[in-house]
């Protein structure tokens, strides 16, 4: 406690004091850029995607279900918080087919969580304060009442007390209760006392002690407040008490009470009286000390009824006050031998309230907000000496909204009251009780406090006296008449420091006992003559004409220099009178003592000071620091060196308490001392940091006290002297170079490396502060501080230090030491910090130096370090905006990243491959969701940064193919996102180099469709698994397995965390009862978190299907929702890219095979062969039409017959679907094919293709279904196929159908380029449709007769005949059904008809190819375009055998010569 004017005048004489005061009073300054700042766009739910099967119509079902919902139950999904997605820009959809694939892949992206998983990641600590943890309790005295009445003033104290240890935990809070006639209307309301606790405990209680004016001898005794009869005071008693209380200034003990705060089970305090129930036990005991919201607490009202208060306050009525008859000490209160007296018949009413702690409040303060630390009481003297740190807005210079600095102010807190409003619930008059445990905690002092608490205990005299003690602080003992120092704290609030204070009166006692607490403000530096003087008075308590005059009994003196730091009990003799120089030993012989010189006065002291260290070694260091600074010591400073070296022997508690000023002084010596002092200070600093780090309670890699020092307390001396980073870099670099040269530097160097993070962050902050101070006065208000160019010598020194540290990382990594990885992370964060401070190209020199040390494919552990390094520096807020290493280059960091990640994918270490892929995804997600980069030009710029990665992959495709499925997904999703955000001019570069390169790019797109396809277990042939598909079965959709990307784990974890109960959810919490009623078993976990944890714990060795089934139904639904959206987004993005390729191919501006357009044909076949959502089919048809408009001639040429056949098959397949939207689009697709045939091929050829594919489709379809009577009827699939074929030729409905599907109404009538006339003919379309319907009818009739064919051979023959006629357009199908008809006739012994069928088959063959050519050519010589004849070659021999057999039978029957002679010898056929 200081008189600041006197102190400020004397600080120059004591540099260490100046440092201490500056340390405690200066602003805390934090660099907001240090831990990154990320503001993401708002999230939104994923949309349900519809994946239809042939027999499903989910779209219609959803529409019907939505229509049935009443308006009240329209619990809008958008209003329910969900973890399943992120806000997508609607403007984005205008130019794209669907949502971006990256948000669909990472719908629950959490930058903070991803960042925390980086090895060695720095974690920001909440700034520690004096009251930085635990509970905060306020106590307010509402009233004091007695049954006898309140006619004289009562005074009291309240403190926090530990009943088990019998120890005070806080200083006293004073209050008074005055009669109404003595109250002053101008006096403000009774203040509250604010107390701080570490944690709830049953032994913690409030100790309340009451006192009243000393009792008049022969007057009204205190027993009137506890007597039974009469209850009320008589008028005479009231008058006597009123008169006496006005003339008696001295007080005596009256009553006491103990109120347990957290223990309802303790019913009584020592002394036998019942203790009130614990007011906060129900709400606070065992609760977290950092709750942000407090539940209402039961409130005990005066009438005994329970109510609820508005906040967390509770009213406590203390009705059993323990009355005392004699003076006492606090230690004797709970003595079991203590005599119990009658309780006072009165009630003391308190309001006790729990508040948020400073720790919680600081977390809630916004970065640019302002708040005043409520641990200080403006207007109270303690506010003058306890300067706490709390966030404020601004530094000594211009600040803008995007300033990187947040100041945390310790100045003028008492005058910054306006900031309290709306944020804190304390008022100016509240009293902040000092927490005595502050001086005993193992944590740094952060406030300036310097006071002494004096506790007189007993005075033992030979005769009874009415004794009280006056206490004062004197500067010397030369003249007792000189006025004492104004150093005593008054009990009345708002008063200034007083010259003396006095205790209560011990009435009529030989042994006077006291429980007073006297607070003394100490001088900054005291001399051996500074002492406390105790004056003992006896006062006569009889009524006289004037106020009683006390009589001096004796004196006692206590020198501060020898006793102030003592905690034990002190005994002093009492002098009869004072003589000059009574403190000197030589003068004590002249003194006369009471009680024969015995030490009859006992007292206890409690020193609370953050200025005066109890530890002697710290005091010696401070003293030598002063001598060195003031140049009063020899120039070589040997005493200072000895004091510095002795700091390593200081006990940990004292060292930690004075950590901040000690570090500041050592840094001052490192920056300004000679080389010897620099090295000694640096080594001492390393030793101190190592000790602090090793004694971390939480075993964190970065001790929170050291983090707080670097982040908040260190201000580089406030600009009062040169920055510390040049000197620190020099001395550390010198030590590092000595180590590199092989010199012995001692074991301290390992400690230096272990604490390198501290020194590197210190250097970075010193630079940042210098940068701010350089530009603070010349910078316009709205501009950021520009980067600082380091001086050549300083940068060279830092480069050398960095090089030495990299060598250490390299060497220690090879030995497998964990220190190497931590040092690697520290070096990465050093570069990260410098990117915000100095010229980026200077940082690039450090990055380049790092990559040179770890060049190429190095050892696995070294490569892992390199990946961690890149992770950290690329996470910088301004990564996107970084320049190139040369002015003409683009982002240097992105180019380095791409190169190293690609190198990692070629690495043997599988885990590092996955890590590299994950780094890429996380980084792109950070850009994509960053609120700063949502403009199209920003997205384009970012995409161009990562565009070279696509080129590298295309150049080295084997590297990509060596990745596993999960890694491929990560890489492909990045490629899709990059291409999505590129402009056409950039995308076209991928396809301009070579045909092979374009094909490889489309191979990547096909991989996307394979790896992100969403397939359900029930998916059958009609959704793409037919053996005829040109794309073989790929892996099923991404399942929940341990090999999957972390994206899905993040998504499911977020979904489980944000579990939301819709309205109407049962109270038992079973959200999934609506899903499946069988799931309500007792073993089913109640929480989605529990369900996810159970599934994750059983992942090892399980198959993907088993893992999926182990998921909770709701999580499985979430998983399917994620898969559906991801698959849809990927398919639509690939479609969009394909459409761009088609457009560019039409202008011949790219490199591709223009003869076949195999890139387009292969990707279109991939689209058809995969299960696609409804949204895809809606977007696909316009693209399909556009592609055939541009490239119909090429795609419908004979070289692409295989492609056309596949397209025709899949369009007919989709025409069977129950969903009308898909079926109609298939009809339009068939019409587009027919339109193309009119211009680019013969319609007959298309007829053949459609007939063949229709036959293949019907062989896999279920053409019939069983009726209830057991007979067969036409199936729904067959009816839908018939309807589609009919609509294909429906001229009336065509226009409306086109418009509904997103095409122009006259799209079929539009003339392609290079054609002059419209060739569309509805008649030919109807003819084609009729032939297809004929084939459908014949096949259906054949299927319906299947059950009777074995019995009715005539019906079978008739069916075969109709099939042969229906498929007459396709020779191989025509022949097949003719052969079946031939066999049927033979079985019926109709030989002539059988022969006729055989001859008809031969005729068909002769029409297609002459027999000579047919038999002369081998299979290999048959041209590709004659592939239709391939089946003929297998059956031709059997054909002629049947003809021969039939003709022989005819000859036998009719007796005529055979017209055809056939002989078969050794499998050779000859004929005439």
């Amino acid at each position: 406690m200081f008189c600041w004017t006197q102190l400020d005048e004397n600080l120059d004489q004591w540099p260490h004091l100046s440092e201490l005061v500056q340390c405690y009073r200066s602003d805390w300054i934090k660099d907001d850029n240090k831990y990154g700042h990320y503001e993401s766009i708002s999230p939104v739910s994923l949309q349900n995607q519809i994946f239809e099967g042939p027999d499903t119509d989910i779209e219609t079902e959803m529409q019907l279900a939505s229509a049935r919902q009443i308006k009240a139950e329209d619990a809008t999904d958008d209003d329910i918080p969900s973890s399943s997605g992120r806000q997508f820009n609607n403007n984005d959809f205008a130019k794209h087919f669907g949502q971006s694939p990256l948000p669909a892949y990472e719908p629950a992206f959490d930058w903070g969580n991803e960042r925390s998983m980086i090895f060695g990641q720095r974690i920001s600590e909440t700034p520690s304060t004096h009251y930085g943890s635990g509970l905060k309790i306020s106590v307010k005295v509402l009233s004091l009442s007695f049954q006898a009445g309140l006619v004289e003033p009562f005074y009291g104290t309240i403190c926090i007390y530990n009943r088990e240890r019998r120890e005070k935990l806080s200083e006293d809070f004073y209050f008074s209760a005055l009669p109404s006639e003595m109250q002053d209307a101008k006096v403000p309301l009774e203040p509250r006392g604010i107390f701080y606790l570490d944690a709830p405990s049953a032994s913690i209680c409030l100790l309340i002690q009451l006192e009243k004016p000393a009792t008049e001898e022969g007057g009204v005794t205190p027993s009137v407040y506890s007597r039974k009869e009469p209850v009320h005071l008589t008028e005479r008693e009231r008058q006597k008490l009123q008169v006496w209380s006005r003339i008696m200034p001295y007080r005596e003990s009256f009553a006491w009470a103990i109120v347990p705060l957290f223990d309802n089970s303790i019913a009584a305090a020592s002394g036998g009286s019942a203790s009130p129930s614990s007011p906060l036990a129900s709400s606070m005991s065992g609760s977290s000390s950092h709750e942000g919201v407090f539940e209402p607490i039961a409130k005990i009202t005066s009438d005994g009824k329970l109510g609820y208060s508005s906040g967390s306050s509770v009213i406590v009525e203390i009705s059993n006050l323990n009355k005392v008859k004699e003076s006492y000490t606090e230690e004797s209160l709970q003595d079991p031998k203590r005599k119990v007296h009658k309780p006072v018949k009165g009630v003391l009413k308190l309001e006790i309230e729990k508040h948020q702690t400073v720790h919680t409040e600081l977390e809630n303060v916004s970065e640019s907000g302002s708040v005043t630390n409520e641990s200080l009481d403006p207007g109270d003297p303690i506010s003058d000496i306890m300067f706490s740190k709390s966030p404020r807005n601004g530094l000594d210079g211009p600040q803008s909204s995007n300033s990187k600095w947040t100041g945390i102010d310790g100045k003028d807190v008492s005058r910054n009251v306006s900031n309290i409003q709306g944020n804190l619930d304390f008022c100016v008059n509240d009293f902040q009780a000092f927490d005595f445990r502050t001086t005993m905690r193992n944590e740094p002092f952060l406030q300036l406090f310097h006071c002494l608490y004096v506790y007189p205990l007993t005075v033992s005299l030979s005769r009874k006296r009415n004794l009280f003690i006056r206490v004062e602080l004197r500067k010397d003992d030369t003249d007792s008449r000189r006025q004492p120092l104004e150093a005593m704290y008054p009990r009345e609030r708002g008063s200034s420091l007083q010259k003396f204070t006095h205790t209560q009166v011990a009435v009529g006692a030989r042994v006077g006992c006291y429980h007073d607490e006297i607070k003394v403000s100490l001088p900054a530096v005291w001399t051996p003559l500074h002492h406390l003087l105790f004056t003992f008075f006896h006062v006569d308590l009889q009524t006289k004409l004037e106020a009683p005059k006390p009589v001096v009994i004796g004196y006692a003196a206590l020198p501060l220099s020898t006793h102030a730091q003592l905690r034990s009990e002190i005994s002093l003799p009492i002098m009869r009178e004072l003589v000059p120089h009574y403190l000197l030993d030589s003068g004590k012989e002249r003194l006369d003592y009471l009680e024969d010189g015995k030490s009859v006065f006992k007292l206890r002291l409690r020193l609370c000071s953050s200025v005066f260290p109890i530890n002697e070694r710290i005091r010696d260091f401070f003293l030598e620091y002063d001598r060195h600074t003031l140049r009063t010591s020899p120039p070589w400073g040997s005493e200072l060196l000895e004091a510095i070296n002795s700091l390593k022997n200081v006990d940990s508690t004292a060292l930690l308490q004075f950590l901040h000023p000690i570090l500041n002084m050592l840094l001052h010596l490192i920056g300004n001392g000679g080389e010897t002092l620099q090295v000694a200070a640096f080594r001492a600093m390393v030793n101190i940091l190592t000790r602090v780090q090793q004694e971390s309670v939480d075993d964190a890699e970065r001790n929170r006290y050291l983090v707080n020092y670097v982040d908040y307390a260190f201000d580089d001396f406030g600009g009062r002297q040169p920055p510390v980073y040049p000197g620190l870099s020099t001395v550390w670099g010198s030590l590092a170079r000595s180590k590199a040269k092989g010199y012995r530097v001692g074991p301290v160097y390992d400690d230096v490396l272990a604490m390198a993070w501290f020194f590197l962050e210190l250097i970075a902050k010193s630079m940042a502060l210098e940068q701010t101070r350089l530009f603070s006065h010349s910078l316009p208000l709205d501009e950021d501080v520009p980067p600082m160019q380091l001086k050549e010598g300083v940068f060279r020194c830092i480069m050398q230090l960095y090089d030495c540290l990299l060598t250490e990382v390299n060497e220690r990594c090879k030995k497998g030491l964990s220190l190497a990885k931590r040092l690697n992370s520290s070096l990465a964060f050093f570069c990260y910090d410098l990117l915000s401070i100095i010229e980026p190209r200077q940082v690039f020199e450090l990055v380049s130096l790092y990559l040179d040390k770890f060049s190429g494919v190095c050892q696995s552990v070294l490569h892992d370090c390199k990946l961690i390094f890149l992770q950290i520096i690329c996470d910088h807020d301004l990564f996107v905006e970084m320049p190139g290493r040369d002015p003409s280059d683009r982002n240097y960091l992105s180019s380095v990243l791409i190169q190293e990640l690609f190198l990692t994918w070629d690495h043997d270490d599988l885990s590092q491959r996955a890590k590299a892929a994950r780094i890429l995804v996380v980084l792109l997600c950070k850009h994509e969701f960053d609120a700063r980069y949502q403009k199209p030009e920003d997205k384009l710029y970012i995409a161009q940064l990562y565009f070279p990665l696509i080129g590298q992959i295309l150049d080295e495709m084997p590297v990509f193919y060596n990745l596993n499925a999960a890694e491929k997904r990560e890489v492909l999703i990045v490629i899709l996102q990059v291409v999505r955000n590129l402009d056409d001019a950039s995308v076209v570069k991928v396809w301009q180099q070579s045909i092979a390169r374009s094909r490889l790019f489309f191979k990547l797109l096909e991989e996307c469709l394979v790896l992100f396809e969403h397939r359900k277990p029930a998916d059958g042939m009609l959704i793409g698994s037919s053996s005829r598909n040109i794309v073989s079965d790929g892996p099923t959709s991404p399942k929940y397995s341990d090999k999957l990307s972390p994206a899905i784990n993040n998504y499911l974890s977020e979904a489980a965390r944000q579990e939301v109960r819709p309205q109407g959810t049962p109270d038992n919490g079973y959200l999934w009862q609506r899903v499946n009623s069988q799931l309500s078993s007792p073993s089913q976990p109640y929480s989605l978190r529990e369900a996810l944890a159970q599934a994750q714990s059983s992942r090892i060795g399980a198959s993907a299907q088993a893992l999926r089934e182990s998921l909770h139904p709701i999580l499985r639904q979430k998983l399917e929702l994620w898969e559906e959206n991801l698959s849809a987004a990927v398919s639509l993005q690939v479609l969009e890219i394909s459409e761009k390729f088609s457009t560019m191919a039409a202008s011949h501006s790219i490199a591709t095979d223009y003869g076949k357009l195999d890139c387009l044909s292969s990707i279109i076949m991939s689209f058809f062969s995969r299960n696609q959502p409804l949204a895809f089919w809606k977007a696909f048809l316009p693209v399909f039409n556009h592609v055939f408009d541009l490239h119909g001639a090429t795609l419908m040429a004979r070289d692409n017959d295989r492609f056309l056949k596949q397209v025709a098959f899949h369009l007919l397949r989709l025409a069977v679907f129950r969903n009308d939207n898909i079926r109609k689009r298939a009809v339009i697709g068939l019409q587009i094919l027919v339109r193309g045939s009119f211009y680019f091929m013969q319609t007959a050829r298309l007829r053949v293709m459609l007939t063949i594919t229709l036959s293949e489709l019907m062989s896999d379809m279920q053409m019939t279904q069983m009726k209830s009577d057991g007979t067969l009827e036409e199936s729904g699939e067959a009816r839908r196929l018939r309807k589609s074929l009919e609509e294909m030729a429906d001229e009336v409905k065509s226009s409306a159908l086109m418009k509904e599907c997103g095409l122009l109404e006259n799209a079929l009538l539009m003339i392609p380029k290079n054609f002059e006339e419209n060739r569309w003919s509805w008649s030919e379309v109807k003819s084609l449709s009729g032939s297809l319907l004929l084939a459908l009818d014949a096949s259906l009739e054949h299927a319906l007769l299947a059950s009777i064919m074995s019995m009715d051979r005539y019906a079978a023959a008739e069916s075969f005949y109709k099939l042969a006629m229906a498929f007459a357009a396709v020779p191989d199908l025509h022949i097949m059904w003719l052969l079946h008809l031939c066999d049927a006739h033979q079985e019926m012994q109709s030989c002539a008809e059988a022969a006729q069928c055989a001859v008809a088959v031969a005729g068909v063959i002769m029409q297609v190819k002459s027999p000579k050519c047919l038999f002369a050519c081998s299979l290999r010589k048959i041209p590709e375009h004659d592939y239709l004849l391939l089946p003929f070659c297998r059956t031709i021999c059997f054909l002629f055998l049947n003809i021969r057999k039939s003709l022989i039978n005819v000859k036998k029957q009719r007796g005529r010569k055979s017209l055809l002679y056939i002989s078969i010898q050794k499998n050779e056929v000859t004929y005439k």
Side-chain angles (χ1 to χ4, degrees), residues 159-170 203-205 207 330-331 334 436-437 440 567 604 606:
C159 68
I160 300 293
Y161 190 75
N162 189 309
R163 187 167 39 196
E164 290 181 1
R165 300 182 191 173
R166 299 189 181 184
E167 175 188 13
K168 286 183 69 171
L169 303 182
S170 75
S203 61
I204 300 297
C205 58
L207 174 59
E330 288 176 352
E331 288 80 358
Q334 297 188 91
F436 290 145
R437 288 163 300 176
M440 296 179 283
R567 291 287 179 89
R604 186 180 293 121
R606 185 193 293 271

Side-chain angles (χ1 to χ4, degrees), residues 836-1053:
S836 302
I837 303 167
I838 67 173
E839 178 61 41
R841 290 185 178 88
Q842 287 187 318
V843 186
F844 296 161
E845 295 295 324
L846 300 178
V847 176
S848 176
L849 181 63
Y850 182 98
L851 295 175
D852 289 343
K853 288 275 186 181
F854 297 83
S855 59
V857 180
C858 42
Q859 293 181 7
S860 180
V861 63
L862 290 174
H863 203 83
D864 190 48
C865 284
K866 183 160 58 172
L867 287 180
I868 293 171
F869 182 88
L870 291 172
Q871 263 185 301
I872 292 172
I873 62 171
C874 292
D875 188 50
H876 195 275
D877 291 349
L878 301 177
F879 168 77
V880 172
E881 301 161 33
M882 285 294 147
R885 195 173 178 187
D886 296 324
S888 60
D889 294 341
R890 272 201 170 180
N891 194 306
Y892 171 70
L893 294 181
S894 67
S895 61
V896 167
L897 176 73
I898 291 171
Q899 180 181 350
E900 294 298 333
L901 292 185
F902 193 82
L903 194 65
T904 307
W905 291 330
D906 200 22
H907 206 271
D908 294 334
D909 194 318
L910 300 180
S911 64
Q912 289 185 7
R913 291 182 187 176
K915 185 175 184 177
R918 188 66 195 156
I919 290 172
L920 193 60
V921 171
V922 170
L923 200 53
L924 212 63
C925 283
K926 184 184 177 186
H927 304 329
E928 182 68 19
F929 303 139
D930 196 326
R932 298 174 298 170
Y933 304 135
Q934 294 306 305
K935 294 180 180 178
E937 54 267 27
D938 296 330
K939 291 180 179 289
L940 171 61
Y941 181 80
I942 292 170
Q944 288 171 339
L945 292 182
Y946 293 95
F947 181 62
L949 175 68
I950 301 176
Q952 281 196 298
I953 292 174
L954 295 177
D955 290 339
E956 299 287 344
M957 281 296 283
V959 174
F960 173 79
Y961 285 127
N962 284 337
L963 302 176
N964 64 34
E967 293 156 7
K968 284 181 180 177
R969 288 189 193 101
E970 306 253 60
V971 174
L972 289 172
I973 208 72
V974 168
I975 291 176
L976 289 178
Q977 187 65 29
V978 169
V979 175
R980 176 187 178 89
N981 293 331
L982 284 175
D983 57 353
D984 293 348
S986 301
V987 175
V988 75
K989 296 177 183 177
V990 183
W991 306 318
Q992 283 180 332
Q993 296 190 23
S994 68
I995 296 176
R997 193 178 178 87
S998 299
R999 285 176 179 155
L1000 288 176
F1001 180 82
F1002 274 84
K1003 287 291 183 185
L1004 291 177
L1005 297 185
E1006 290 180 39
E1007 285 280 343
C1008 292
L1009 297 177
V1010 172
L1011 291 172
F1012 291 103
E1013 182 185 9
H1014 176 64
R1015 297 179 62 185
K1016 299 178 181 178
D1019 290 348
M1021 185 285 304
L1022 290 179
I1023 30 182
S1025 61
S1026 171
S1027 60
R1028 300 179 183 83
N1029 289 347
I1030 55 134
V1031 180
S1032 61
D1033 282 349
T1036 55
S1037 59
K1039 304 300 180 185
Y1040 180 66
S1041 70
D1042 55 345
K1043 293 184 179 180
L1044 189 65
S1045 160
I1048 190 169
N1049 290 319
N1050 295 343
Y1051 168 70
L1052 287 179
S1053 298

Side-chain angles (χ1 to χ4, degrees), residues 1295-1316:
S1295 297
L1297 203 59
M1298 286 284 178
K1299 187 175 181 180
E1300 183 180 346
C1301 296
L1303 298 178
L1304 297 176
E1305 294 182 15
N1306 62 341
L1308 297 176
L1309 304 178
M1310 296 179 69
I1311 303 173
K1313 190 177 180 181
N1314 299 328
F1315 288 90
E1316 297 179 355

Side-chain angles (χ1 to χ4, degrees), residues 1156-1157 1160-1161 1164 1187-1188 1191-1197 1200-1201 1203-1204:
K1156 293 184 67 175
L1157 288 177
L1160 271 180
S1161 60
I1164 290 175
V1187 168
F1188 271 83
H1191 308 290
T1194 304
L1195 294 176
M1196 303 192 79
N1200 275 322
D1201 274 353
F1203 160 71
L1204 275 181

Side-chain angles (χ1 to χ4, degrees), residues 580-621:
H581 306 293
Y582 49 84
L583 292 178
L584 298 178
D585 292 338
S586 58
K588 289 183 180 180
E589 298 177 356
R590 300 180 287 110
L591 296 176
D592 186 14
Y593 293 94
L594 295 178
E595 306 298 331
D596 300 328
K598 295 178 181 178
S599 298
V600 294
F601 174 43
K602 294 182 179 180
L603 73 157
R604 186 180 293 121
L605 303 179
R606 185 193 293 271
L607 175 65
C608 297
S609 175
S610 60
V611 174
F612 181 83
I614 297 177
N615 187 279
E616 187 177 357
R617 288 190 174 91
I618 297 179
R619 292 205 303 270
D620 289 344
F621 170 67

